[in-house]
Amino acid sequence: MTQRTAASSKGRFSSSRKSISVSSEALVRVAPLLDGTRAVSCTPTVAGLDAREWLSSSGNTLARLRDEHGAVLLRGFTPLDADGLGELATGLAGELRDYNNRSTPRQRVNGRVFTSTEYPPDQTIPQHNEMSYTDSWPGTLFLACMVPAPVGGETPLADSARVYARVPASTRERFERHGVMYVRNFGHGMDLSWQEVFQTQDRDEVAAYCEKHGIQAQWLGGERLRTRHVVQAALESRATGEKVWFNQAHLFHVSSLPESVERELRESFSEDELPRNAMYGDGSPLDPDDLAQIRAAYAAEEISLPWQEGDVMIVDNEQFAHGRKPYSGARSVLVAMA
């Protein structure tokens, strides 16, 4: 994908579209996304407005809304394809990042625009901040709905600061003192392969990546690789300075799987041999009560709206977590990370 700056995008649009002689502030109506949440929606007041046009003509309006409100839904703008999503994301947040150190299956659509996680449609994807299982994560997510599912398929959000406040102080203290250890075992024929996760066939490249990011890597023979990585449980949002819950312990932990699957895995593997698992940073097992409290906090803060074709959701990845509801029928949501 050829990336363009906001300025070059503006020139492209002005040559192909009739300019609208209305102030940029009057072009879009901003309103709360839902009662009781600080996320907002932006709806054009004129027909046929392209979100890239508005971005290039409205200064830092969209960036300010993202920073102040954490999540911004663009609805009613001209629908964007994969190229258009990449241009919007680049114009707002700069160079897009690739999807490395992967945890879920995705397909590259174009350049650095990907499909959303390709889990079976009957599965729920729990709330999480993107790549919070690593030491390097995207600041902003861009999700664009190409095809809304006829039933379900929402991408719910949860305010990470409010989740942090809901998690009991004793649980927060335990997690923040130790951090979270993510343990992954590759080569069992389950979950992603190390080649897909690290996007290489070269073991030396894997070793170099792990060393750079503080990941303990242990080759166990054949294609088997075990990694351990201790990273943050919470952090201060760069935009607001608030403490936010920022980890995927509840998602990586084997108890996030259906009970029958968890039981089968535990019968086949020891705690440190499971395909993926989470522990406290000192390597001790997570307390089931802690996990229950965390999941309850996310459930209490979850907000959700059905997708509409052409919607684009812009999410500050530290301020808001996201997930996916089960669905039936066709569904297509694209993702760019910056």
Side-chain angles (χ1 to χ4, degrees):
M1 178 184 70
T2 302
Q3 297 180 353
R4 300 179 177 86
T5 63
S8 63
S9 295
K10 182 177 179 181
R12 174 189 172 196
F13 296 129
S14 61
S15 65
S16 60
R17 296 175 60 87
K18 182 178 180 180
S19 62
I20 303 171
S21 59
V22 182
S23 69
S24 60
E25 292 79 7
L27 287 175
V28 172
R29 181 183 300 108
V30 180
L33 185 64
L34 289 169
D35 291 341
T37 178
R38 59 196 182 91
V40 295
S41 64
C42 293
T43 308
T45 59
V46 295
L49 182 61
D50 191 299
R52 296 165 293 182
E53 252 182 347
W54 178 53
L55 173 65
S56 64
S57 66
S58 60
N60 69 344
T61 299
L62 190 51
R64 177 179 54 79
L65 290 172
R66 175 202 57 194
D67 293 346
E68 291 180 0
H69 298 279
V72 182
L73 173 65
L74 305 183
R75 172 165 285 179
F77 292 83
T78 301
L80 300 175
D81 59 11
D83 280 342
L85 178 64
E87 290 170 354
L88 177 69
T90 302
L92 177 64
E95 183 179 1
L96 303 185
R97 62 176 291 160
D98 214 335
Y99 185 37
N100 46 23
N101 195 358
R102 299 183 175 198
S103 69
T104 60
R106 301 179 189 221
Q107 299 297 318
R108 189 184 303 274
V109 178
N110 195 358
R112 291 180 174 177
V113 175
F114 299 86
T115 59
S116 58
T117 295
E118 296 182 348
Y119 279 168
D122 62 337
Q123 294 184 7
T124 295
I125 299 177
Q127 290 287 332
H128 62 284
N129 304 85
E130 192 68 32
M131 298 186 71
S132 56
Y133 59 89
T134 72
D135 63 348
S136 175
W137 51 86
T140 307
L141 306 179
F142 299 81
L143 301 100
C145 181
M146 305 289 109
V147 179
V151 178
E154 300 91 343
T155 299
L157 303 174
D159 188 315
S160 300
R162 293 174 63 159
V163 171
Y164 179 91
R166 280 189 180 272
V167 174
S170 59
T171 299
R172 293 200 309 256
E173 191 279 331
R174 202 156 28 249
F175 272 86
E176 291 186 271
R177 172 160 35 100
H178 296 296
V180 180
M181 176 186 289
Y182 299 94
V183 182
R184 304 180 73 175
N185 283 280
F186 306 99
H188 291 302
M190 298 178 172
D191 211 339
L192 304 182
S193 67
W194 62 263
Q195 292 91 340
E196 183 173 0
V197 167
F198 295 104
Q199 292 291 287
T200 182
Q201 303 287 328
D202 189 332
R203 296 186 184 205
D204 289 340
E205 289 184 13
V206 173
Y209 183 94
C210 290
E211 182 177 3
K212 178 180 178 180
H213 292 275
I215 301 172
Q216 181 186 355
Q218 181 182 8
W219 292 100
L220 302 173
E223 294 299 308
R224 293 183 59 206
L225 167 67
R226 179 178 300 155
T227 62
R228 297 183 180 91
H229 197 194
V230 179
V231 291
Q232 70 290 318
L235 51 80
E236 291 185 358
S237 162
R238 286 173 286 188
T240 69
E242 290 183 290
K243 266 294 187 71
V244 298
W245 195 248
F246 197 80
N247 65 80
Q248 292 189 23
H250 67 295
L251 191 156
F252 260 74
H253 193 263
V254 65
S255 63
S256 69
L257 298 169
E259 186 176 341
S260 61
V261 177
E262 179 187 358
R263 184 171 57 251
E264 184 177 343
L265 287 173
R266 286 193 179 280
E267 290 172 353
S268 303
F269 301 103
S270 63
E271 192 82 6
D272 66 347
E273 291 177 334
L274 290 161
R276 70 169 73 186
N277 202 10
M279 305 176 181
Y280 298 114
D282 63 357
S284 58
L286 296 181
D287 187 326
D289 289 340
D290 283 350
L291 290 168
Q293 296 283 2
I294 292 164
R295 289 170 178 142
Y298 276 118
E301 292 299 335
E302 186 172 283
I303 60 173
S304 184
L305 278 177
W307 281 113
Q308 294 182 13
E309 183 179 354
D311 282 352
V312 175
M313 179 69 78
I314 300 170
V315 182
D316 181 312
N317 187 41
E318 293 178 352
Q319 293 192 60
F320 271 88
H322 67 284
R324 192 202 71 186
K325 298 283 192 182
Y327 67 94
S328 60
R331 179 185 186 271
S332 175
V333 175
L334 303 185
V335 179
M337 301 177 281

